[in-house]
Amino acid sequence: MSIQNKNVNDVMLAIDDFPIVRQSTILKETLEKMDSMSMGIACIVGNNQELLGIITDGDIRRKLLAVQKPLSAFFVDDVINQAIKKPVTISGGMSLIDAVHLMEDEKIWDLPVVDNGKLVGLLHFHSIIKVMLKLS
């Protein structure tokens, strides 16, 4: 199978393979989860697994530079208060090639995969590279 025949569903990370937190999780706990899973992103979900937002290492860096309050106060904020609430998302049925083009256009490494309003996975650029290397 070539890369042209693959969809996002074929490559995305499963729900248990990337950081997912609730909207009331504090930022420090979110960072700890991101660190323990070696990921630069966390998805924030509601009670029905609906995607409410994302936060990335870069978002946190930009907020730290922009927010004029003590670091300790920043770390106890609910993560949703620091999140991107309307992130770029894709569906599992999207072609992998189209998803790569979207990532390139948006200059992002990760795309939450949402089907029927619910978070079902995460397309991570490293996963795409692994697939491409296996196919070559």
Side-chain angles (χ1 to χ4, degrees), residues 8-23:
V8 169
N9 282 333
D10 299 324
V11 180
M12 71 183 188
L13 298 174
I15 290 291
D16 294 334
D17 295 333
F18 63 95
I20 299 173
V21 296
R22 299 284 178 197
Q23 63 188 7

Side-chain angles (χ1 to χ4, degrees), residues 34 49 61 136:
M34 290 166 66
Q49 204 66 10
R61 181 185 66 247
S136 60

Side-chain angles (χ1 to χ4, degrees), residues 69-89:
K69 66 180 179 179
L71 195 55
S72 57
F74 185 70
F75 281 149
V76 296
D77 277 352
D78 288 347
V79 69
I80 197 68
N81 295 335
Q82 305 301 333
I84 294 174
K85 294 182 181 98
K86 293 188 180 190
V88 177
T89 64

